[in-house]
C-alpha cells in the first residue's frame, strides 16, 4: 500500500486537475455552462430521465437540476414532457439539437486534449485512462456513501503527551484550581 507521503502528493495532484477542468470549461460555448454540458452528457449516457433521477446523478438539489433543465429547454437542447406514470414529474430527453451540441462539445474537448497531450504516447494516454477509470471506480458513485473523516486511533495512556491519567475528567480552568 502507498505511504502517507504518496497519498499527500496524490491529493495535491488531484487538486491541480482543477486547472485541466477549467481549461476544458473555457472551450465551451458561451451559452453552455459546465453544468449544462454535464446534463447533456448524462442524458446521452442514460437516456430519458426523470428530473429526480437526473438530480440524483448530478448529486445536486432538485432546484439546481430544474434551472439546468430550463436553460437547456430554452435553447432547444432538451425537451421536458410529463411522465406518463406520474403527471407531476417530468421526463427529460435530448433533442436532435441537443445531440448536435453534445457532438460539438465532444469535438472541442477531444481537440483540446489532443493538442495538450500531443507529446504523450498512445500507451501513456491509455495508462492515464485506465488509472483514472480505476480511481473513479474506487470512489463509486459518490452519492450513496457519506464521507467519513479519518479518525486517528486513540493515544495509549502511557504515550499521552500529558502523561498517564490520574483523573482526566473535563474541567473548565475555574474548576481545575
Amino acid at each position: 500500500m502507498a505511504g502517507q507521503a504518496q497519498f499527500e502528493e496524490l491529493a495535491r495532484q488531484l487538486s491541480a486537475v482543477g486547472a485541466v477542468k477549467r481549461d476544458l470549461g473555457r472551450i465551451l460555448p458561451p451559452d453552455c455552462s459546465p453544468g449544462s454540458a454535464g446534463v447533456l452528457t448524462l442524458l446521452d449516457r442514460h437516456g430519458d430521465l426523470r428530473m429526480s433521477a437526473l438530480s440524483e446523478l448530478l448529486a445536486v438539489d432538485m432546484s439546481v437540476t430544474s434551472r439546468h433543465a430550463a436553460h437547456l429547454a430554452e435553447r432547444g437542447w432538451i425537451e421536458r414532457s410529463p411522465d406518463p406514470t406520474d403527471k407531476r414529474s417530468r421526463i427529460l430527453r435530448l433533442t436532435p439539437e441537443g445531440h448536435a451540441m453534445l457532438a460539438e462539445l465532444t469535438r472541442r474537448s477531444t481537440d483540446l486534449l489532443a493538442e495538450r497531450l500531443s507529446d504523450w504516447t498512445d500507451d501513456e494516454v491509455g495508462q492515464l485512462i485506465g488509472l483514472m477509470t480505476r480511481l473513479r471506480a474506487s470512489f463509486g458513485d459518490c452519492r450513496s456513501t457519506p464521507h467519513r473523516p479519518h479518525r486517528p486511533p486513540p493515544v495509549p495512556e502511557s504515550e499521552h503527551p500529558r502523561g498517564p491519567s490520574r483523573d482526566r475528567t473535563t474541567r473548565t480552568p475555574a474548576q481545575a484550581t
Side-chain angles (χ1 to χ4, degrees):
M1 179 153 163
Q4 185 69 25
Q6 285 181 302
F7 287 122
E8 288 171 5
E9 180 59 22
L10 177 59
R12 282 189 290 276
Q13 292 301 321
L14 287 173
S15 291
V17 168
V20 175
K21 289 182 72 172
R22 283 188 299 279
D23 230 13
L24 285 166
R26 286 184 192 108
I27 63 167
L28 295 173
D31 59 346
C32 186
S33 69
S36 294
V39 169
L40 293 173
T41 300
L42 286 172
L43 288 172
D44 184 58
R45 182 178 303 141
H46 295 279
D48 299 355
L49 289 172
R50 291 178 98 183
M51 197 83 114
S52 58
L54 179 60
S55 187
E56 186 178 327
L57 286 170
L58 290 169
V60 298
D61 188 72
M62 190 72 133
S63 64
V64 175
T65 304
S66 182
R67 283 192 298 275
H68 283 307
H71 177 82
L72 294 168
E74 286 169 11
R75 278 142 191 82
W77 298 336
I78 67 166
E79 61 182 27
R80 298 176 286 186
S81 56
D83 182 342
T85 62
D86 180 359
K87 298 295 182 197
R88 296 168 297 172
S89 187
R90 297 277 180 212
I91 299 288
L92 306 177
R93 120 181 350 101
L94 280 175
T95 63
E97 294 82 5
H99 283 286
M101 175 51 71
L102 190 56
E104 175 62 16
L105 298 177
T106 301
R107 185 196 60 75
R108 288 178 183 217
S109 297
T110 302
D111 288 351
L112 179 65
L113 289 168
E115 174 192 324
R116 299 294 166 89
L117 305 180
S118 63
D119 60 337
W120 289 41
T121 66
D122 289 349
D123 189 48
E124 289 170 329
V125 173
Q127 288 174 20
L128 179 62
I129 292 167
L131 290 171
M132 288 183 77
T133 302
R134 184 173 175 194
L135 175 67
R136 183 68 179 102
S138 293
F139 280 80
D141 66 11
C142 296
R143 292 175 284 130
S144 57
T145 307
H147 172 68
R148 292 185 190 100
H150 172 70
R151 296 177 193 260
V155 177
E157 287 291 325
S158 61
E159 297 174 19
H160 201 280
R162 294 184 290 180
S165 171
R166 289 196 186 95
D167 178 21
R168 196 169 283 141
T169 57
T170 305
R171 296 181 180 167
T172 65
Q175 294 172 323
T177 57

